[in-house]
Structure formats: C-alpha cells, structure tokens
mmCIF file of all heavy atoms in Angstrom:
data_model
loop_
_atom_site.group_PDB
_atom_site.id
_atom_site.type_symbol
_atom_site.label_atom_id
_atom_site.label_comp_id
_atom_site.label_asym_id
_atom_site.label_seq_id
_atom_site.Cartn_x
_atom_site.Cartn_y
_atom_site.Cartn_z
ATOM 1 N N LEU A 1 87.756 1.291 94.335
ATOM 2 C CA LEU A 1 86.683 2.257 94.707
ATOM 3 C C LEU A 1 85.319 1.630 94.479
ATOM 4 O O LEU A 1 84.406 1.807 95.334
ATOM 5 C CB LEU A 1 86.853 3.513 93.879
ATOM 6 C CG LEU A 1 88.071 4.381 94.276
ATOM 7 C CD1 LEU A 1 88.299 5.485 93.189
ATOM 8 C CD2 LEU A 1 87.861 5.023 95.621
ATOM 9 N N ALA A 2 85.137 0.921 93.383
ATOM 10 C CA ALA A 2 83.851 0.315 93.102
ATOM 11 C C ALA A 2 83.537 -0.776 94.130
ATOM 12 O O ALA A 2 82.380 -0.990 94.467
ATOM 13 C CB ALA A 2 83.844 -0.288 91.694
ATOM 14 N N ALA A 3 84.572 -1.483 94.586
ATOM 15 C CA ALA A 3 84.345 -2.526 95.577
ATOM 16 C C ALA A 3 83.821 -1.948 96.883
ATOM 17 O O ALA A 3 83.144 -2.628 97.638
ATOM 18 C CB ALA A 3 85.685 -3.255 95.835
ATOM 19 N N ARG A 4 84.129 -0.688 97.133
ATOM 20 C CA ARG A 4 83.632 0.018 98.293
ATOM 21 C C ARG A 4 82.372 0.793 97.996
ATOM 22 O O ARG A 4 81.944 1.604 98.785
ATOM 23 C CB ARG A 4 84.690 0.927 98.826
ATOM 24 C CG ARG A 4 86.006 0.211 99.270
ATOM 25 C CD ARG A 4 87.012 1.194 99.840
ATOM 26 N NE ARG A 4 86.520 1.859 101.020
ATOM 27 C CZ ARG A 4 87.162 2.798 101.681
ATOM 28 N NH1 ARG A 4 88.352 3.172 101.302
ATOM 29 N NH2 ARG A 4 86.657 3.346 102.775
ATOM 30 N N ARG A 5 81.802 0.550 96.817
ATOM 31 C CA ARG A 5 80.604 1.221 96.355
ATOM 32 C C ARG A 5 80.794 2.788 96.218
ATOM 33 O O ARG A 5 79.827 3.500 96.388
ATOM 34 C CB ARG A 5 79.407 0.898 97.259
ATOM 35 C CG ARG A 5 79.067 -0.559 97.268
ATOM 36 C CD ARG A 5 77.820 -0.836 98.060
ATOM 37 N NE ARG A 5 77.525 -2.283 98.060
ATOM 38 C CZ ARG A 5 76.465 -2.788 98.661
ATOM 39 N NH1 ARG A 5 75.619 -2.037 99.346
ATOM 40 N NH2 ARG A 5 76.245 -4.129 98.602
ATOM 41 N N GLN A 6 81.965 3.163 95.962
ATOM 42 C CA GLN A 6 82.240 4.592 95.751
ATOM 43 C C GLN A 6 82.193 4.864 94.216
ATOM 44 O O GLN A 6 83.195 5.100 93.584
ATOM 45 C CB GLN A 6 83.596 4.980 96.353
ATOM 46 C CG GLN A 6 83.607 4.849 97.881
ATOM 47 C CD GLN A 6 84.963 5.079 98.487
ATOM 48 O OE1 GLN A 6 85.918 5.484 97.804
ATOM 49 N NE2 GLN A 6 85.080 4.844 99.800
ATOM 50 N N TRP A 7 81.010 4.712 93.686
ATOM 51 C CA TRP A 7 80.792 4.771 92.256
ATOM 52 C C TRP A 7 81.253 6.115 91.638
ATOM 53 O O TRP A 7 81.835 6.169 90.575
ATOM 54 C CB TRP A 7 79.359 4.472 91.909
ATOM 55 C CG TRP A 7 78.793 3.276 92.554
ATOM 56 C CD1 TRP A 7 77.795 3.218 93.528
ATOM 57 C CD2 TRP A 7 79.219 1.939 92.419
ATOM 58 N NE1 TRP A 7 77.557 1.929 93.935
ATOM 59 C CE2 TRP A 7 78.413 1.106 93.269
ATOM 60 C CE3 TRP A 7 80.202 1.300 91.609
ATOM 61 C CZ2 TRP A 7 78.569 -0.271 93.341
ATOM 62 C CZ3 TRP A 7 80.313 -0.090 91.683
ATOM 63 C CH2 TRP A 7 79.536 -0.835 92.532
ATOM 64 N N ALA A 8 80.847 7.220 92.272
ATOM 65 C CA ALA A 8 81.185 8.528 91.753
ATOM 66 C C ALA A 8 82.707 8.717 91.681
ATOM 67 O O ALA A 8 83.251 9.287 90.736
ATOM 68 C CB ALA A 8 80.522 9.634 92.548
ATOM 69 N N SER A 9 83.360 8.250 92.748
ATOM 70 C CA SER A 9 84.877 8.422 92.756
ATOM 71 C C SER A 9 85.527 7.521 91.668
ATOM 72 O O SER A 9 86.480 7.971 91.043
ATOM 73 C CB SER A 9 85.364 8.027 94.123
ATOM 74 O OG SER A 9 84.899 8.889 95.123
ATOM 75 N N ALA A 10 85.001 6.329 91.497
ATOM 76 C CA ALA A 10 85.555 5.428 90.480
ATOM 77 C C ALA A 10 85.334 6.089 89.078
ATOM 78 O O ALA A 10 86.258 6.062 88.231
ATOM 79 C CB ALA A 10 84.867 4.103 90.524
ATOM 80 N N SER A 11 84.172 6.672 88.875
ATOM 81 C CA SER A 11 83.880 7.293 87.608
ATOM 82 C C SER A 11 84.770 8.556 87.427
ATOM 83 O O SER A 11 85.261 8.836 86.274
ATOM 84 C CB SER A 11 82.441 7.740 87.535
ATOM 85 O OG SER A 11 81.604 6.601 87.593
ATOM 86 N N LEU A 12 85.004 9.271 88.458
ATOM 87 C CA LEU A 12 85.836 10.493 88.409
ATOM 88 C C LEU A 12 87.267 10.105 87.923
ATOM 89 O O LEU A 12 87.829 10.768 87.041
ATOM 90 C CB LEU A 12 85.916 11.183 89.745
ATOM 91 C CG LEU A 12 86.594 12.521 89.879
ATOM 92 C CD1 LEU A 12 86.063 13.316 91.086
ATOM 93 C CD2 LEU A 12 88.129 12.399 90.043
ATOM 94 N N VAL A 13 87.838 9.080 88.551
ATOM 95 C CA VAL A 13 89.187 8.665 88.197
ATOM 96 C C VAL A 13 89.272 8.197 86.733
ATOM 97 O O VAL A 13 90.140 8.583 85.998
ATOM 98 C CB VAL A 13 89.677 7.551 89.144
ATOM 99 C CG1 VAL A 13 91.014 6.953 88.624
ATOM 100 C CG2 VAL A 13 89.850 8.081 90.554
ATOM 101 N N GLY A 14 88.304 7.371 86.364
ATOM 102 C CA GLY A 14 88.282 6.854 84.968
ATOM 103 C C GLY A 14 88.033 7.902 83.929
ATOM 104 O O GLY A 14 88.718 7.955 82.864
ATOM 105 N N LEU A 15 86.998 8.753 84.188
ATOM 106 C CA LEU A 15 86.664 9.774 83.194
ATOM 107 C C LEU A 15 87.830 10.799 83.035
ATOM 108 O O LEU A 15 88.137 11.215 81.906
ATOM 109 C CB LEU A 15 85.424 10.515 83.642
ATOM 110 C CG LEU A 15 84.918 11.653 82.734
ATOM 111 C CD1 LEU A 15 84.631 11.118 81.320
ATOM 112 C CD2 LEU A 15 83.699 12.336 83.286
ATOM 113 N N THR A 16 88.453 11.151 84.121
ATOM 114 C CA THR A 16 89.609 12.079 84.050
ATOM 115 C C THR A 16 90.719 11.520 83.208
ATOM 116 O O THR A 16 91.216 12.176 82.273
ATOM 117 C CB THR A 16 90.111 12.449 85.438
ATOM 118 O OG1 THR A 16 89.080 13.059 86.196
ATOM 119 C CG2 THR A 16 91.325 13.412 85.333
ATOM 120 N N TYR A 17 91.096 10.260 83.467
ATOM 121 C CA TYR A 17 92.233 9.684 82.792
ATOM 122 C C TYR A 17 91.926 9.401 81.323
ATOM 123 O O TYR A 17 92.677 9.803 80.405
ATOM 124 C CB TYR A 17 92.723 8.436 83.469
ATOM 125 C CG TYR A 17 93.948 7.868 82.842
ATOM 126 C CD1 TYR A 17 95.212 8.328 83.175
ATOM 127 C CD2 TYR A 17 93.860 6.872 81.867
ATOM 128 C CE1 TYR A 17 96.344 7.837 82.570
ATOM 129 C CE2 TYR A 17 94.961 6.368 81.213
ATOM 130 C CZ TYR A 17 96.253 6.869 81.603
ATOM 131 O OH TYR A 17 97.354 6.342 80.967
ATOM 132 N N PHE A 18 90.856 8.681 81.091
ATOM 133 C CA PHE A 18 90.598 8.246 79.668
ATOM 134 C C PHE A 18 90.081 9.363 78.820
ATOM 135 O O PHE A 18 90.373 9.414 77.607
ATOM 136 C CB PHE A 18 89.636 7.049 79.710
ATOM 137 C CG PHE A 18 90.200 5.803 80.299
ATOM 138 C CD1 PHE A 18 89.816 5.310 81.531
ATOM 139 C CD2 PHE A 18 91.260 5.132 79.631
ATOM 140 C CE1 PHE A 18 90.385 4.178 82.079
ATOM 141 C CE2 PHE A 18 91.864 4.014 80.197
ATOM 142 C CZ PHE A 18 91.412 3.544 81.429
ATOM 143 N N GLY A 19 89.322 10.323 79.414
ATOM 144 C CA GLY A 19 88.950 11.497 78.639
ATOM 145 C C GLY A 19 90.162 12.298 78.218
ATOM 146 O O GLY A 19 90.233 12.770 77.064
ATOM 147 N N ALA A 20 91.099 12.493 79.140
ATOM 148 C CA ALA A 20 92.329 13.248 78.836
ATOM 149 C C ALA A 20 93.164 12.535 77.800
ATOM 150 O O ALA A 20 93.716 13.141 76.837
ATOM 151 C CB ALA A 20 93.112 13.512 80.084
ATOM 152 N N SER A 21 93.257 11.225 77.908
ATOM 153 C CA SER A 21 94.112 10.450 77.001
ATOM 154 C C SER A 21 93.553 10.538 75.553
ATOM 155 O O SER A 21 94.294 10.706 74.603
ATOM 156 C CB SER A 21 94.142 8.955 77.432
ATOM 157 O OG SER A 21 94.794 8.858 78.664
ATOM 158 N N LEU A 22 92.238 10.401 75.454
ATOM 159 C CA LEU A 22 91.582 10.444 74.110
ATOM 160 C C LEU A 22 91.767 11.874 73.530
ATOM 161 O O LEU A 22 92.072 11.980 72.317
ATOM 162 C CB LEU A 22 90.130 10.084 74.202
ATOM 163 C CG LEU A 22 89.330 10.200 72.917
ATOM 164 C CD1 LEU A 22 89.887 9.259 71.851
ATOM 165 C CD2 LEU A 22 87.832 9.879 73.182
ATOM 166 N N THR A 23 91.573 12.868 74.313
ATOM 167 C CA THR A 23 91.723 14.249 73.819
ATOM 168 C C THR A 23 93.113 14.508 73.334
ATOM 169 O O THR A 23 93.338 15.140 72.281
ATOM 170 C CB THR A 23 91.319 15.292 74.955
ATOM 171 O OG1 THR A 23 89.980 15.032 75.329
ATOM 172 C CG2 THR A 23 91.487 16.703 74.467
ATOM 173 N N THR A 24 94.125 14.039 74.102
ATOM 174 C CA THR A 24 95.505 14.249 73.680
ATOM 175 C C THR A 24 95.799 13.537 72.334
ATOM 176 O O THR A 24 96.467 14.092 71.470
ATOM 177 C CB THR A 24 96.438 13.762 74.792
ATOM 178 O OG1 THR A 24 96.442 14.741 75.852
ATOM 179 C CG2 THR A 24 97.880 13.620 74.270
ATOM 180 N N TRP A 25 95.252 12.334 72.228
ATOM 181 C CA TRP A 25 95.478 11.608 70.970
ATOM 182 C C TRP A 25 94.850 12.357 69.783
ATOM 183 O O TRP A 25 95.468 12.489 68.698
ATOM 184 C CB TRP A 25 94.881 10.209 71.069
ATOM 185 C CG TRP A 25 95.037 9.396 69.821
ATOM 186 C CD1 TRP A 25 96.133 8.725 69.405
ATOM 187 C CD2 TRP A 25 94.033 9.197 68.784
ATOM 188 N NE1 TRP A 25 95.906 8.128 68.151
ATOM 189 C CE2 TRP A 25 94.614 8.381 67.784
ATOM 190 C CE3 TRP A 25 92.733 9.622 68.659
ATOM 191 C CZ2 TRP A 25 93.920 8.008 66.635
ATOM 192 C CZ3 TRP A 25 92.025 9.259 67.507
ATOM 193 C CH2 TRP A 25 92.604 8.457 66.508
ATOM 194 N N LEU A 26 93.634 12.875 69.996
ATOM 195 C CA LEU A 26 92.992 13.645 68.905
ATOM 196 C C LEU A 26 93.778 14.901 68.544
ATOM 197 O O LEU A 26 93.912 15.260 67.410
ATOM 198 C CB LEU A 26 91.546 13.985 69.361
ATOM 199 C CG LEU A 26 90.605 12.808 69.441
ATOM 200 C CD1 LEU A 26 89.292 13.294 70.041
ATOM 201 C CD2 LEU A 26 90.383 12.153 68.087
ATOM 202 N N LEU A 27 94.279 15.604 69.604
ATOM 203 C CA LEU A 27 95.033 16.806 69.337
ATOM 204 C C LEU A 27 96.344 16.508 68.613
ATOM 205 O O LEU A 27 96.797 17.266 67.770
ATOM 206 C CB LEU A 27 95.316 17.547 70.640
ATOM 207 C CG LEU A 27 94.199 18.443 71.188
ATOM 208 C CD1 LEU A 27 94.532 18.974 72.558
ATOM 209 C CD2 LEU A 27 93.952 19.630 70.230
ATOM 210 N N LYS A 28 97.060 15.440 69.015
ATOM 211 C CA LYS A 28 98.222 15.080 68.357
ATOM 212 C C LYS A 28 98.015 14.869 66.848
ATOM 213 O O LYS A 28 98.751 15.367 66.016
ATOM 214 C CB LYS A 28 98.790 13.746 68.897
ATOM 215 C CG LYS A 28 99.492 13.872 70.243
ATOM 216 C CD LYS A 28 99.935 12.472 70.742
ATOM 217 C CE LYS A 28 100.764 12.545 72.017
ATOM 218 N NZ LYS A 28 102.168 12.987 71.723
ATOM 219 N N THR A 29 96.919 14.180 66.528
ATOM 220 C CA THR A 29 96.563 13.886 65.130
ATOM 221 C C THR A 29 96.211 15.179 64.384
ATOM 222 O O THR A 29 96.599 15.405 63.227
ATOM 223 C CB THR A 29 95.426 12.893 65.064
ATOM 224 O OG1 THR A 29 95.789 11.728 65.779
ATOM 225 C CG2 THR A 29 95.092 12.548 63.616
ATOM 226 N N ALA A 30 95.445 16.029 65.050
ATOM 227 C CA ALA A 30 94.984 17.278 64.403
ATOM 228 C C ALA A 30 96.106 18.296 64.192
ATOM 229 O O ALA A 30 96.183 18.962 63.114
ATOM 230 C CB ALA A 30 93.861 17.937 65.221
ATOM 231 N N VAL A 31 97.001 18.458 65.187
ATOM 232 C CA VAL A 31 98.032 19.470 65.085
ATOM 233 C C VAL A 31 99.236 18.978 64.296
ATOM 234 O O VAL A 31 99.833 19.680 63.467
ATOM 235 C CB VAL A 31 98.458 19.927 66.479
ATOM 236 C CG1 VAL A 31 99.648 20.912 66.409
ATOM 237 C CG2 VAL A 31 97.283 20.572 67.265
ATOM 238 N N GLY A 32 99.624 17.701 64.526
ATOM 239 C CA GLY A 32 100.708 17.129 63.774
ATOM 240 C C GLY A 32 102.053 17.835 63.979
ATOM 241 O O GLY A 32 102.819 18.029 63.041
ATOM 242 N N ARG A 33 102.371 18.174 65.181
ATOM 243 C CA ARG A 33 103.620 18.923 65.471
ATOM 244 C C ARG A 33 104.762 17.945 65.532
ATOM 245 O O ARG A 33 104.740 16.891 66.158
ATOM 246 C CB ARG A 33 103.523 19.632 66.826
ATOM 247 C CG ARG A 33 104.642 20.590 67.110
ATOM 248 C CD ARG A 33 104.520 21.213 68.496
ATOM 249 N NE ARG A 33 105.341 22.384 68.641
ATOM 250 C CZ ARG A 33 105.548 23.043 69.781
ATOM 251 N NH1 ARG A 33 104.986 22.576 70.901
ATOM 252 N NH2 ARG A 33 106.281 24.123 69.825
ATOM 253 N N GLU A 34 105.876 18.359 64.886
ATOM 254 C CA GLU A 34 107.111 17.518 64.885
ATOM 255 C C GLU A 34 107.804 17.510 66.242
ATOM 256 O O GLU A 34 107.692 18.487 66.988
ATOM 257 C CB GLU A 34 108.088 18.060 63.829
ATOM 258 C CG GLU A 34 107.548 17.910 62.407
ATOM 259 C CD GLU A 34 107.539 16.489 61.865
ATOM 260 O OE1 GLU A 34 108.172 15.639 62.544
ATOM 261 O OE2 GLU A 34 106.986 16.314 60.808
ATOM 262 N N ARG A 35 108.484 16.484 66.519
ATOM 263 C CA ARG A 35 109.284 16.380 67.751
ATOM 264 C C ARG A 35 110.464 17.307 67.646
ATOM 265 O O ARG A 35 110.976 17.598 66.553
ATOM 266 C CB ARG A 35 109.760 14.914 67.962
ATOM 267 C CG ARG A 35 108.651 13.909 68.165
ATOM 268 C CD ARG A 35 108.210 13.845 69.566
ATOM 269 N NE ARG A 35 107.116 12.883 69.739
ATOM 270 C CZ ARG A 35 106.696 12.431 70.907
ATOM 271 N NH1 ARG A 35 107.263 12.858 72.008
ATOM 272 N NH2 ARG A 35 105.701 11.566 70.978
ATOM 273 N N PRO A 36 110.976 17.747 68.823
ATOM 274 C CA PRO A 36 112.238 18.630 68.759
ATOM 275 C C PRO A 36 113.425 17.809 68.271
ATOM 276 O O PRO A 36 113.603 16.649 68.580
ATOM 277 C CB PRO A 36 112.374 19.025 70.228
ATOM 278 C CG PRO A 36 111.639 18.006 71.012
ATOM 279 C CD PRO A 36 110.532 17.567 70.194
ATOM 280 N N LEU A 37 114.222 18.471 67.488
ATOM 281 C CA LEU A 37 115.468 17.866 66.953
ATOM 282 C C LEU A 37 116.666 18.732 67.266
ATOM 283 O O LEU A 37 117.679 18.628 66.554
ATOM 284 C CB LEU A 37 115.320 17.701 65.402
ATOM 285 C CG LEU A 37 114.200 16.758 64.967
ATOM 286 C CD1 LEU A 37 114.077 16.780 63.445
ATOM 287 C CD2 LEU A 37 114.460 15.356 65.423
ATOM 288 N N LEU A 38 116.597 19.538 68.325
ATOM 289 C CA LEU A 38 117.727 20.385 68.666
ATOM 290 C C LEU A 38 118.911 19.585 69.204
ATOM 291 O O LEU A 38 120.077 19.923 68.961
ATOM 292 C CB LEU A 38 117.279 21.419 69.742
ATOM 293 C CG LEU A 38 116.137 22.343 69.352
ATOM 294 C CD1 LEU A 38 115.802 23.264 70.500
ATOM 295 C CD2 LEU A 38 116.497 23.147 68.108
ATOM 296 N N HIS A 39 118.591 18.544 69.963
ATOM 297 C CA HIS A 39 119.587 17.712 70.601
ATOM 298 C C HIS A 39 119.170 16.245 70.387
ATOM 299 O O HIS A 39 117.979 15.932 70.171
ATOM 300 C CB HIS A 39 119.836 18.011 72.044
ATOM 301 C CG HIS A 39 120.040 19.448 72.317
ATOM 302 N ND1 HIS A 39 121.281 20.054 72.235
ATOM 303 C CD2 HIS A 39 119.153 20.450 72.649
ATOM 304 C CE1 HIS A 39 121.205 21.337 72.536
ATOM 305 N NE2 HIS A 39 119.951 21.620 72.774
ATOM 306 N N ALA A 40 120.146 15.306 70.532
ATOM 307 C CA ALA A 40 119.804 13.899 70.384
ATOM 308 C C ALA A 40 118.824 13.473 71.455
ATOM 309 O O ALA A 40 118.932 13.820 72.594
ATOM 310 C CB ALA A 40 121.100 13.092 70.504
ATOM 311 N N MET A 41 117.782 12.725 71.004
ATOM 312 C CA MET A 41 116.787 12.165 71.906
ATOM 313 C C MET A 41 117.343 11.055 72.734
ATOM 314 O O MET A 41 118.193 10.236 72.234
ATOM 315 C CB MET A 41 115.571 11.670 71.136
ATOM 316 C CG MET A 41 114.767 12.793 70.463
ATOM 317 S SD MET A 41 113.262 12.087 69.712
ATOM 318 C CE MET A 41 112.592 13.530 68.894
ATOM 319 N N LEU A 42 116.969 10.935 73.961
ATOM 320 C CA LEU A 42 117.443 9.906 74.865
ATOM 321 C C LEU A 42 116.374 8.830 75.083
ATOM 322 O O LEU A 42 116.443 7.991 76.027
ATOM 323 C CB LEU A 42 117.896 10.450 76.171
ATOM 324 C CG LEU A 42 119.021 11.489 76.117
ATOM 325 C CD1 LEU A 42 119.357 11.968 77.523
ATOM 326 C CD2 LEU A 42 120.255 10.876 75.465
ATOM 327 N N ALA A 43 115.353 8.817 74.226
ATOM 328 C CA ALA A 43 114.316 7.846 74.344
ATOM 329 C C ALA A 43 113.746 7.532 72.965
ATOM 330 O O ALA A 43 113.803 8.392 72.074
ATOM 331 C CB ALA A 43 113.148 8.304 75.260
ATOM 332 N N GLU A 44 113.286 6.337 72.775
ATOM 333 C CA GLU A 44 112.727 5.934 71.436
ATOM 334 C C GLU A 44 111.280 6.430 71.334
ATOM 335 O O GLU A 44 110.507 6.353 72.241
ATOM 336 C CB GLU A 44 112.757 4.410 71.288
ATOM 337 C CG GLU A 44 114.164 3.856 71.182
ATOM 338 C CD GLU A 44 114.177 2.353 70.898
ATOM 339 O OE1 GLU A 44 113.084 1.798 70.709
ATOM 340 O OE2 GLU A 44 115.266 1.772 70.875
#
C-alpha cells in the first residue's frame, strides 16, 4: 500500500492489527484467566 502511496490505508491496516494485538496482550495480563481444562487440549 505504501508503494502505491496509499499512506492512510497502510496506516489503517497496521494500526488495526498492532493496536488490537497490544490490547489483547494487556488484557491477558490484567485478567489472568485460566485456559479451559474440560477436555484434553489438541494444541500446545
């Protein structure tokens, strides 16, 4: 997008993704909710 000088669009994509990622990390740390243990997990 930046190569096509679509600066606002490039910023939109980046701000949406990285803003959301940072917020989720902060919430994970603040809430500290345990993972479900009802059934065996199929992923590490």
Side-chain angles (χ1 to χ4, degrees):
L1 289 167
R4 299 182 62 184
R5 297 186 180 180
Q6 296 175 5
W7 310 115
S9 296
S11 298
L12 187 156
V13 171
L15 180 59
T16 299
Y17 184 84
F18 292 110
S21 297
L22 177 60
T23 300
T24 286
W25 179 80
L26 291 173
L27 278 173
K28 280 177 176 285
T29 303
V31 175
R33 191 185 197 186
E34 296 287 348
R35 298 274 179 168
L37 297 174
L38 301 179
H39 307 276
M41 293 184 183
L42 299 180
E44 293 185 4

